[in-house]
C-alpha cells in the first residue's frame, strides 16, 4: 500500500515548534518541547487506529463503548535524538514497547553508521513508529526502516519533527509504502548536511552536549 507524507500543521504543534527552533531556548525547555510535540504528533498520527465496540457496566447502566483493537504498538527511537520523543509518546500509549537503534552520521560522508540495536521479540507483529526529530538527508531514517523490514516488520511509520525536502524525497523513494509524519518541511540542507533553517543539532540541544 502506498504511504504518504503528512505535515502536521496543528496550531499547538506549530507554536511549540517556533519556540523549539529559537537558538535561545534552554536545554531544559528544548527537551520538554520535543516530548510535548511528540505527544501531539502521536495524537494526530494514531487517528486511524482501529477500535472495537464492547459493552461495559457504568454505575448507572450498560454502555456500548469503543476500545483500541488491532495491532499493538512499538516505538523505535533512532539514538540519540529520537530518545527525546519517547516519553511524550509513552504518556499516550503506555503499553507500547520500545526498541532502540543506534545510528550516527559520519560527518564526512553523511552516511549512517549503526552501533546499537535491541528490539522487542515480537516487533514484526507490531505497528512500529520510528522516531527521530530530524530527517535531513534521510540516510538514517531509510537505514532504520530497512533494518525493521529485515526484522519482518510490515507496518512501519516514521515520525520526525523537522524534515528537509531532500530527506522527504529519499524516504519516499526508498520506502514508498510507509507513512511519514512531520511538523515542518524546511527549505534545504546546507553543505554540512544541516537543515536550514532547522533547529541546529537536535541531539546536542536535547542532551546539552554543546
Ligand atoms: C541526527 C538526527 C538524525 C540524523 C539525521 O543524528 O538525529 O538521526 O542526524 O540526518 P540524516 O537524515 O542525514 O541521516 P546524529 O547523527 O547527529 O546523531 P545523534 O542523534 O547521536 O546526535
Ligand atoms: N541532524 C540534526 O540534528 N540537525 C540537522 O539539521 C541535521 C541532522
Amino acid at each position: 500500500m502506498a504511504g504518504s507524507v503528512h505535515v502536521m500543521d496543528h496550531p499547538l504543534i506549530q507554536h511549540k515548534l517556533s519556540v523549539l527552533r529559537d537558538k535561545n531556548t534552554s536545554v531544559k525547555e528544548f527537551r520538554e518541547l520535543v516530548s510535548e510535540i511528540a505527544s501531539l504528533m502521536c495524537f494526530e498520527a494514531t487517528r486511524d487506529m482501529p477500535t472495537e465496540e464492547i459493552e461495559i457496566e457504568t454505575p448507572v447502566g450498560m454502555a456500548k463503548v469503543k476500545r483500541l483493537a488491532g495491532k499493538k504498538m512499538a516505538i523505535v527511537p533512532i539514538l540519540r535524538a529520537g530518545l527525546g520523543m519517547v516519553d511524550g509518546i509513552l504518556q499516550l500509549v503506555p503499553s507500547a514497547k520500545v526498541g532502540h537503534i543506534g545510528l550516527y552520521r559520519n560527518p564526512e560522508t553523511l552516511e549512517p553508521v549503526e552501533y546499537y540495536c535491541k528490539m522487542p521479540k515480537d516487533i514484526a507483529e507490531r505497528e512500529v513508529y520510528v522516531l527521530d526529530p530530524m530527517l535531513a538527508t534521510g540516510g538514517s531514517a531509510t537505514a532504520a526502516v530497512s533494518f525493521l523490514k529485515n526484522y519482518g516488520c510490515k507496518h512501519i511509520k516514521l515520525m520526525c519533527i523537522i524534515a528537509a525536502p531532500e530527506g522527504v524525497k529519499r524516504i519516499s523513494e526508498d520506502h514508498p509504502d510507509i507513512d511519514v509524519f512531520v511538523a515542518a518541511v524546511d527549505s534545504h540542507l546546507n553543505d554540512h548536511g544541516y537543515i536550514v533553517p532547522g533547529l541546529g543539532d537536535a541531539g546536542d540541544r536535547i542532551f546539552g552536549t554543546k
Side-chain angles (χ1 to χ4, degrees):
M1 202 176 71
S4 44
V5 179
H6 309 262
V7 181
M8 299 184 151
D9 58 359
H10 191 290
L12 282 175
I13 295 177
Q14 293 304 315
H15 176 79
K16 288 178 191 293
L17 182 55
S18 76
V19 185
L20 192 72
R21 287 181 187 275
D22 192 324
K23 68 176 187 181
N24 295 315
T25 296
S26 70
V27 168
K28 173 180 180 288
E29 205 182 353
F30 190 92
R31 197 183 292 142
E32 287 166 359
L33 284 163
V34 167
S35 184
E36 287 168 11
I37 292 170
S39 254
L40 293 168
M41 291 184 75
C42 175
F43 188 70
E44 290 273 284
T46 51
R47 190 173 279 283
D48 63 352
M49 269 183 162
T51 56
E52 63 187 4
E53 197 174 82
I54 57 162
E55 200 169 50
I56 54 125
E57 190 173 0
T58 78
V60 182
M62 299 306 292
K64 285 198 168 63
V65 294
K66 286 179 182 165
R67 72 173 176 194
L68 291 174
K71 292 198 178 305
K72 298 209 167 74
M73 194 196 277
I75 53 179
V76 177
I78 300 179
L79 306 181
R80 288 175 301 168
L83 286 174
M85 300 172 75
V86 169
D87 283 352
I89 294 182
L90 288 180
Q91 275 180 13
L92 295 191
V93 192
S95 61
K97 289 197 175 167
V98 185
H100 293 87
I101 180 158
L103 296 172
Y104 70 88
R105 288 199 311 180
N106 177 312
E108 264 102 54
T109 64
L110 300 182
E111 285 301 314
V113 182
E114 187 192 320
Y115 62 89
Y116 184 76
C117 173
K118 183 87 183 173
M119 293 295 151
K121 273 205 184 67
D122 60 352
I123 188 86
E125 269 67 65
R126 290 180 175 257
E127 175 108 20
V128 183
Y129 285 73
V130 177
L131 311 177
D132 196 325
M134 309 306 276
L135 181 65
T137 64
S140 304
T142 288
V145 173
S146 299
F147 187 86
L148 288 163
K149 285 183 174 174
N150 285 338
Y151 257 77
C153 298
K154 299 208 168 40
H155 305 272
I156 304 171
K157 298 182 184 195
L158 173 66
M159 195 183 291
C160 301
I161 297 179
I162 301 182
E166 294 88 334
V168 172
K169 182 167 180 287
R170 170 92 189 262
I171 194 86
S172 307
E173 285 172 1
D174 290 359
H175 298 290
D177 52 315
I178 71 161
D179 279 318
V180 180
F181 298 95
V182 298
V185 180
D186 277 9
S187 166
H188 63 279
L189 292 178
N190 68 16
D191 293 345
H192 303 287
Y194 276 84
I195 301 175
V196 183
L199 49 70
D201 189 303
D204 282 340
R205 294 195 67 184
I206 290 169
F207 296 107
T209 41
K210 213 167 212 170

